[in-house]
Amino acid sequence: MDIKKRIRIGDLLMENQLITEQQLEVALAEQKKTRRKLGKTLIDLGYIQESALLDLLSRQLGIDYLNLKQFPIDQLVLQKLPEIHARRFRAIALSEQNGIIQVGMADPSDIFAYDEIQKALKQPIKVAAISEEDLFHHLDAGYRKTEQIDNLAEVLDDELSETDFDLQTLTQTTSSTEAPVVKLLQAIFEDAVTMKASDIHIEPDHGALRIRQRIDGILQEQIIEESRIASALTSRLKLMAGLNISEKRLPQDGRFNIKVKNKNIDVRLSTMPMVHGESVVMRLLDHSQGLLNFDKLGLPESIATAFRSLIQKPHGLILVTGPTGSGKTTTLYTALNEINQASTKIITVEDPVEYQLPRINQVQVHEKIGLTFPTVLRTALRQDPDVILIGEMRDKETVNIGLRAAMTGHLVFSTLHTNNAISTVSRLLDMEAEGFVVASSLEAVLAQRLIRRLCTECQTPHILSEQDKVIIGKIHGHLPDNANFQQQQGCSQCNHTGYRGRIGVYELLIMTPTLLNCLQQNDNPAFVEQARQQTGFKSLSQSALDLAMQGITTLEEVMRIASDIEVINDTSLDITVD
């Protein structure tokens, strides 16, 4: 194979009848304006598919055409090619054998890039053709900041000598962007944004510092041996959040905004004193994505239609339930965004305020100065609102004020921590709400969870075991013959987890006259039974199983949220097939 032979891409494509002479002329004219490669110009104009161009070039040059989505990249080899060269020449070091490094190139006909890459690697190279889209995905994942975080942590640890440590000076030099602590924080945030992490955990341990990121709901860990840097990191973060850096005995909460990779990130920070220092957890909210609408939220069409109708009601209480991090606030703000108009007065009472919307009056609860949920709610009701959002019903006083506000002509939204929609009513009654008040106020309960999506690049068919069939029978009652169960495998596209992104699972309970009658009679068993039999009602487990049967998620993920069923070992259960 001679990569250095000159190839005229335009002539080559015409010879193989992949483009016409007229298309080539248009592309050449466009190339003069944009100064981009001719191949890229032809692809952007839609005259040829990238895969067809790369396939032709690879055959002409006698090189491989690789699908990076399935290719096992050696991370140690990848790091041999500096990131600046990889991005400039659109190339990636893939593997090494017998002293020869295989390099993937988006444009394998670029002779200049070939020479520069070989100089940078100082070893013989073997070129393969790769997709540019796949390349940039692997560059973002491959050149993560983990190594930079380790290196910066080392530098910072060297500066923090045991006998000469001026924490006050270090934490107040906010203007010095060259300070290792600032660079380390920047690297941590950039890595988290690249990996689409929702939370960052900084946890000091004996002789080490753990940095964990929650990606698609699962924590991934990096351990840094330099433990003394934890105090400097925590102090800088507390300073950014406006907290008291000298107070290390009590928990503190704060927030700040940062710009990372052209994204505006709102950071909610919580500190807690631990045995080896202060633990810091940061929730990252990406405001650059904007608010969702119901179409993008992922609600099933039947639930979206019913929920849209519910939020147009003039009064009543609508609850969204689920554990922390299940997307409750996002759902409620999507609802507010839908009904936000000049003729509607909306007041929110939150702790903290997560999103900021125009025209909506938002109040941040501040317990220390007496600005509690009940206090703000009483005042809010005197502000002539049409709609009230209560961030969370945490105590019986807040519950009762919210219920009575719904009874007196206000539409009230709030959240509650319950396992499912049906148990929400029992939770309200446990918080000393009276049955007739709940019956007069509650309109609907939307329970939700977030489960992981399968990576579409590496998922494989899942052969059901007898135990799987029992589980499906418990949830669904029967096994449809068109079910398409898949399982995770892991590839470079999903960071070898088998999952990529998350999707919502929902359960909507609408209060019908039958259910209201059960409440008024304080007949909870009858309420539960009637709720399960409600027309169109589908439990969280059933909704999750529907996604698994479509090959969107796995049975493993279904079982993770299937709290309302018992997994049994009896495999004798008959399973009928549609």
Side-chain angles (χ1 to χ4, degrees):
M1 183 273 294
D2 183 10
I3 189 67
K4 292 202 169 189
K5 64 183 178 183
R6 184 78 174 173
I7 289 182
R8 294 174 61 88
I9 289 179
D11 294 340
L12 184 62
L13 291 171
M14 283 183 58
E15 285 174 16
N16 286 268
Q17 299 181 346
L18 292 176
I19 62 171
T20 64
E21 185 176 355
Q22 184 180 3
Q23 288 175 330
L24 178 59
E25 289 175 0
V26 173
L28 289 170
E30 181 68 18
Q31 184 192 24
K32 286 181 181 178
K33 297 177 189 174
T34 61
R35 302 196 172 200
R36 288 178 300 184
K37 300 275 188 181
L38 180 59
K40 176 68 173 168
T41 304
L42 287 163
I43 292 168
D44 290 344
L45 288 171
Y47 292 158
I48 188 172
Q49 294 292 320
E50 183 184 29
S51 56
L53 174 59
L54 290 174
D55 182 59
L56 178 62
L57 281 176
S58 63
R59 284 189 282 110
Q60 189 70 20
L61 293 169
I63 62 176
D64 293 332
Y65 173 30
L66 299 179
N67 179 2
L68 282 194
K69 293 172 182 174
Q70 303 295 337
F71 193 86
I73 298 175
D74 187 329
Q75 292 298 316
L76 293 177
V77 175
L78 181 145
Q79 297 295 331
K80 288 187 175 184
L81 182 64
E83 182 177 5
I84 189 170
H85 287 78
R87 294 190 182 278
R88 180 182 177 189
F89 301 121
R90 297 181 298 152
I92 185 170
L94 301 170
S95 60
E96 183 176 359
Q97 190 172 13
N98 300 324
I100 300 173
I101 296 179
Q102 185 170 43
V103 176
M105 294 180 66
D107 181 7
S109 66
D110 190 334
I111 299 171
F112 174 76
Y114 176 91
D115 289 338
E116 292 299 316
I117 291 168
Q118 193 156 34
K119 285 180 187 176
L121 290 172
K122 299 176 183 176
Q123 284 181 242
I125 65 173
K126 174 186 175 184
V127 171
I130 57 172
S131 159
E132 187 172 60
E133 181 183 350
D134 291 347
L135 166 70
F136 284 122
H137 171 83
H138 280 78
L139 292 184
D140 287 340
Y143 292 102
R144 285 185 63 184
K145 301 294 181 179
T146 50
E147 185 177 350
Q148 184 181 353
I149 290 170
D150 277 331
N151 292 338
L152 289 169
E154 246 180 85
V155 172
L156 183 57
D157 189 61
D158 291 341
E159 290 197 0
L160 301 178
S161 65
E162 296 286 357
T163 57
D164 183 18
F165 174 52
D166 187 353
L167 180 61
Q168 192 72 16
T169 302
L170 178 65
T171 55
Q172 290 183 353
T173 52
T174 55
S175 62
S176 176
T177 57
E178 295 302 315
V181 66
V182 178
K183 283 187 172 182
L184 177 55
L185 282 175
Q186 183 179 3
I188 291 171
F189 280 118
E190 285 183 357
D191 188 49
V193 170
T194 298
M195 301 308 294
K196 298 181 180 178
S198 61
D199 302 82
I200 301 173
H201 296 235
I202 298 177
E203 304 168 344
D205 203 345
H206 178 66
L209 176 67
R210 299 179 189 275
I211 297 178
R212 301 200 278 179
Q213 299 176 356
R214 190 172 295 280
I215 301 170
D216 291 338
I218 306 298
L219 285 171
Q220 297 182 11
E221 183 177 75
Q222 178 181 2
I223 299 176
I224 298 174
E225 299 302 328
E226 291 79 13
S227 61
R228 289 178 297 163
I229 68 173
S231 179
L233 275 180
T234 303
S235 296
R236 177 54 60 91
L237 286 167
K238 288 165 74 173
L239 195 66
M240 292 167 69
L243 303 180
N244 182 356
I245 62 172
S246 62
E247 179 55 79
K248 300 180 180 179
R249 301 165 300 169
L250 297 172
Q252 296 187 70
D253 296 304
R255 68 188 304 165
F256 57 89
N257 291 283
I258 56 172
K259 190 167 185 177
V260 182
K261 294 193 168 185
N262 295 319
K263 293 178 180 289
N264 292 313
I265 307 296
D266 187 15
V267 182
R268 285 166 42 191
L269 179 144
S270 173
T271 70
M272 180 175 287
M274 299 290 181
V275 174
H276 299 290
E278 289 180 280
S279 168
V280 178
V281 176
M282 293 176 284
R283 168 66 56 86
L284 309 183
L285 299 169
D286 184 0
H287 290 308
S288 62
Q289 293 181 350
L291 278 171
L292 297 172
N293 54 44
F294 282 115
D295 295 329
K296 294 181 180 178
L297 200 58
L299 284 165
E301 188 176 349
S302 58
I303 292 181
T305 301
F307 199 65
R308 268 197 172 102
S309 176
L310 288 164
I311 65 175
Q312 298 296 334
K313 286 181 175 287
H315 55 78
L317 173 64
I318 297 174
L319 290 173
V320 178
T321 75
T324 301
S326 60
K328 301 186 297 294
T329 303
T330 301
T331 299
L332 285 178
Y333 268 95
T334 302
L336 288 186
N337 195 44
E338 182 103 350
I339 62 176
N340 185 13
Q341 52 191 350
S343 59
T344 304
K345 171 90 169 189
I346 302 175
I347 298 177
T348 73
V349 186
E350 305 169 75
D351 183 22
V353 174
E354 293 192 14
Y355 298 91
Q356 295 182 9
L357 288 176
R359 200 187 289 121
I360 292 181
N361 300 270
Q362 298 172 270
V363 182
Q364 168 78 52
V365 168
H366 200 319
E367 300 276 351
K368 290 182 181 178
I369 62 172
L371 198 64
T372 61
F373 273 105
T375 303
V376 177
L377 276 174
R378 291 192 190 95
T379 305
L381 289 170
R382 295 193 289 270
Q383 293 279 311
D384 188 30
D386 298 297
V387 179
I388 300 174
L389 183 147
I390 305 170
E392 183 184 345
M393 288 188 164
R394 298 179 178 177
D395 52 68
K396 63 181 182 181
E397 191 174 6
T398 305
V399 167
N400 283 312
I401 294 174
L403 288 168
R404 295 189 183 280
M407 288 177 64
T408 55
H410 304 90
L411 182 61
V412 180
F413 296 105
S414 191
T415 69
L416 205 60
H417 289 275
T418 60
N419 289 331
N420 50 52
I422 295 175
S423 65
T424 300
V425 172
S426 298
R427 175 71 175 134
L428 289 174
L429 297 176
D430 289 343
M431 296 174 79
E432 300 184 17
E434 297 176 271
F436 77 91
V437 177
V438 176
S440 303
S441 307
L442 188 62
E443 290 289 340
V445 181
L446 179 72
Q448 65 182 71
R449 296 286 190 281
L450 291 176
I451 61 176
R452 291 182 290 172
R453 284 179 178 269
L454 272 166
C455 174
T456 56
E457 301 297 337
C458 63
Q459 65 184 41
T460 58
H462 176 61
I463 307 301
L464 296 178
S465 66
E466 290 303 312
Q467 181 70 7
D468 291 336
K469 293 176 182 178
V470 172
I471 292 168
I472 295 166
K474 291 283 287 182
I475 299 174
H476 200 273
H478 61 272
L479 176 62
D481 57 1
N482 61 347
N484 176 31
F485 288 100
Q486 300 283 315
Q487 65 184 7
Q488 72 276 26
Q489 182 174 346
C491 67
S492 57
Q493 293 288 305
C494 58
N495 202 25
H496 302 284
T497 63
Y499 297 97
R500 200 172 173 196
R502 290 189 289 177
I503 186 172
V505 176
Y506 302 92
E507 171 183 297
L508 179 63
L509 178 66
I510 299 174
M511 303 305 293
T512 62
T514 303
L515 293 178
L516 295 175
N517 184 53
C518 294
L519 272 181
Q520 289 168 341
Q521 295 179 10
N522 290 321
D523 191 348
N524 194 52
F527 175 87
V528 172
E529 184 62 29
Q530 290 296 325
R532 287 175 176 165
Q533 295 177 8
Q534 186 178 101
T535 303
F537 176 79
K538 188 175 286 188
S539 71
L540 287 168
S541 302
Q542 290 170 326
S543 298
L545 184 59
D546 284 349
L547 294 175
M549 289 192 292
Q550 297 170 44
I552 295 173
T553 190
T554 60
L555 272 176
E556 180 183 318
E557 283 292 285
V558 174
M559 291 308 304
R560 193 166 60 86
I561 69 160
S563 59
D564 58 339
I565 68 165
E566 293 181 6
V567 181
I568 59 176
N569 293 320
D570 181 13
T571 58
S572 63
L573 184 66
D574 289 333
I575 306 295
T576 59
V577 180
D578 288 345

